[in-house]
Amino acid sequence: MKPGFILLIMGIALLLLGGIPAVLNFMDNQGFPYPLPTTFFQAHWFLMVYGFFLLLIGNELLVALSNEWRGTSAPTWLIVSFGILTLISNLLDELNIPLSYYLVIVALVLVMNYSRVYLSPSRIGLKPTTYNYLLFYTLIITTIIVSFQAVFGLPWLGLAFPALTIFAVMSRDLGLVLGGKRINQDEMILAYVLLALGILSYGTVVSPALVVIGWALSLHSSGIPWSRGRLYPRIALTTAWTWLLISALVQGNYDAYIHSIALGFLFNTVFGVDSVLIDMLVGITGKRLSVKPSYVPLILLNMGLVMRVAFDLGISSPLLLLSAPLQGIGILSFYVLTFRQVIPQMRKVDKNETLIVKGERTTRS
């Protein structure tokens, strides 16, 4: 099994460990009539940001982007070290040991050091683009944030890491997703800066305005709703950007704000930008696999999130008890439906490669 695939499996495992208890906790907060196990894995936000998303993004940089830029993944020892550091940091955080933050910093430094690969010309002579540089700047910003969190906490600061990574990736891959549309790089850079400032200044009067302006610039530069290309990613990304706008409008409610970004913006983007997923799978398997997207995860996730925000804003109904389960099932169903398509293709690729190797040996004999 390749190291990149192990990182992906580890990321999904941490997603489950952080997500399932969060579903139970929110249901308990809503007044679920029966006792729920709410003390299992309390480090929800850390598991999600510096567990699941860190492994997902690390996989993108060390496997997918590395394959694209230098023709091969990062060295196995580096991928394994990154994965082990991330895993141990999440375990220590669950045990309330502050060393967890410093191990995250070491993991980020490993990826930053490897970034010299994609900050140099590629194997076919391509020069680094806005995408490459913004990814590197995101790692620097995140390292500073984690250093700050090691002393002061403030979980919401961690949202900057996956949110800014998405803006960095969108500066290039959004054009590919939307039928080859050219993305205005200057606008995306400015939107990136404004989003960073908006998240970091959460709780101040300027934060909503900064996020809204960044949202407007990124939407204008990409033209997601009115672009050409396949319908599914346009719907998923339009929904994601809608939640980003909503996050600026509900900043008065912490839970609604956090989850409008974390679930609405981040996960709808993960669902919608399937080209990133395909690139990652190419890096892991060495072959291009096909994945047919399903609208089921999108519908379940967003139905649940609408219910959650409605509850946060004071609406009361027994029906809203479904909000957390729908969100969890929506995310889980995305990966189940994806791997149901991917695993048979991976097995077929492995089988074909084995037959080719046997055929070559027979010919030589």
Side-chain angles (χ1 to χ4, degrees):
M1 188 178 291
K2 295 188 177 183
F5 190 70
I6 295 174
L7 283 189
L8 189 59
I9 296 300
M10 286 170 54
I12 294 173
L14 292 181
L15 172 66
L16 292 175
L17 289 175
I20 293 174
V23 168
L24 299 176
N25 279 322
F26 191 72
M27 291 176 68
D28 186 66
N29 292 337
Q30 288 180 296
F32 191 74
Y34 302 102
L36 293 171
T38 58
T39 58
F40 179 66
F41 278 94
Q42 295 297 296
H44 166 63
W45 78 266
F46 195 97
L47 282 163
M48 298 302 293
V49 175
Y50 299 130
F52 170 69
F53 278 113
L54 180 57
L55 287 170
L56 190 72
I57 293 166
N59 208 342
E60 168 74 11
L61 299 178
L62 297 176
V63 179
L65 185 57
S66 179
N67 267 285
E68 176 187 331
W69 216 250
R70 68 191 289 258
T72 182
S73 298
T76 299
W77 70 265
L78 179 58
I79 297 175
V80 171
S81 299
F82 170 77
I84 291 173
L85 283 167
T86 303
L87 196 61
I88 295 175
S89 69
N90 279 267
L91 177 61
L92 293 179
D93 190 74
E94 179 60 31
L95 298 173
N96 292 316
I97 300 175
L99 182 62
S100 58
Y101 290 95
Y102 301 103
L103 291 184
V104 169
I105 292 172
V106 175
L108 288 167
V109 169
L110 284 179
V111 179
M112 275 194 289
N113 182 60
Y114 189 72
S115 297
R116 66 184 185 277
V117 168
Y118 60 82
L119 293 178
S120 305
S122 73
R123 60 193 172 97
I124 60 173
L126 297 175
K127 293 182 179 180
T129 64
T130 299
Y131 163 74
N132 301 61
Y133 288 112
L134 288 184
L135 285 173
F136 183 67
Y137 295 149
T138 301
L139 294 174
I140 294 175
I141 293 169
T142 304
T143 303
I144 296 170
I145 287 173
V146 177
S147 303
F148 188 84
Q149 288 179 312
V151 180
F152 298 103
L154 304 178
W156 47 266
L157 287 174
L159 287 173
F161 173 47
L164 293 178
T165 300
I166 282 179
F167 265 42
V169 172
M170 293 299 93
S171 69
R172 185 194 70 168
D173 285 351
L174 197 56
L176 302 177
V177 173
L178 301 176
K181 178 179 173 62
R182 184 176 179 83
I183 306 299
N184 187 313
Q185 299 296 298
D186 292 337
E187 275 191 299
M188 281 302 295
I189 292 172
L190 184 54
Y192 174 96
V193 172
L194 290 169
L195 180 64
L197 294 174
I199 292 176
L200 297 179
S201 63
Y202 169 71
T204 68
V205 294
V206 300
S207 177
L210 290 170
V211 173
V212 168
I213 297 171
W215 166 85
L217 286 171
S218 63
L219 198 63
H220 180 264
S221 68
S222 60
I224 294 170
W226 53 86
S227 63
R228 297 177 181 177
R230 292 180 297 120
L231 181 62
Y232 175 82
R234 283 193 287 126
I235 290 175
L237 292 171
T238 299
T239 305
W241 256 253
T242 300
W243 281 113
L244 182 60
L245 175 61
I246 291 172
S247 74
L249 304 178
V250 297
Q251 284 201 12
N253 185 289
Y254 182 76
D255 186 80
Y257 166 72
I258 291 294
H259 291 93
S260 291
I261 294 179
L263 293 175
F265 178 59
L266 299 182
F267 273 99
N268 276 295
T269 304
V270 170
F271 290 2
V273 188
D274 54 354
S275 64
V276 173
L277 175 64
I278 297 301
D279 286 345
M280 187 179 298
L281 293 170
V282 169
I284 292 169
T285 64
K287 303 292 182 181
R288 181 159 289 276
L289 308 178
S290 61
V291 178
K292 184 178 180 181
S294 168
Y295 286 94
V296 172
L298 275 177
I299 293 169
L300 294 177
L301 171 65
N302 288 288
M303 281 179 60
L305 188 51
V306 168
M307 291 180 178
R308 183 183 195 123
V309 172
F311 175 81
D312 287 335
L313 298 181
I315 298 175
S316 179
S317 169
L319 186 63
L320 299 184
L321 286 170
L322 294 172
S323 63
L326 285 174
Q327 294 165 69
I329 294 170
I331 293 171
L332 181 61
S333 66
F334 171 77
Y335 286 101
V336 169
L337 292 171
T338 297
F339 280 99
R340 280 187 63 184
Q341 298 178 65
V342 167
I343 291 176
Q345 294 180 67
M346 290 176 63
R347 288 175 178 169
K348 185 176 180 180
V349 167
D350 291 340
K351 183 178 180 180
N352 290 340
E353 288 179 348
T354 302
L355 291 174
I356 290 171
V357 170
K358 287 182 178 179
E360 290 176 349
R361 288 175 180 172
T362 302
T363 303
R364 288 172 186 171
S365 300

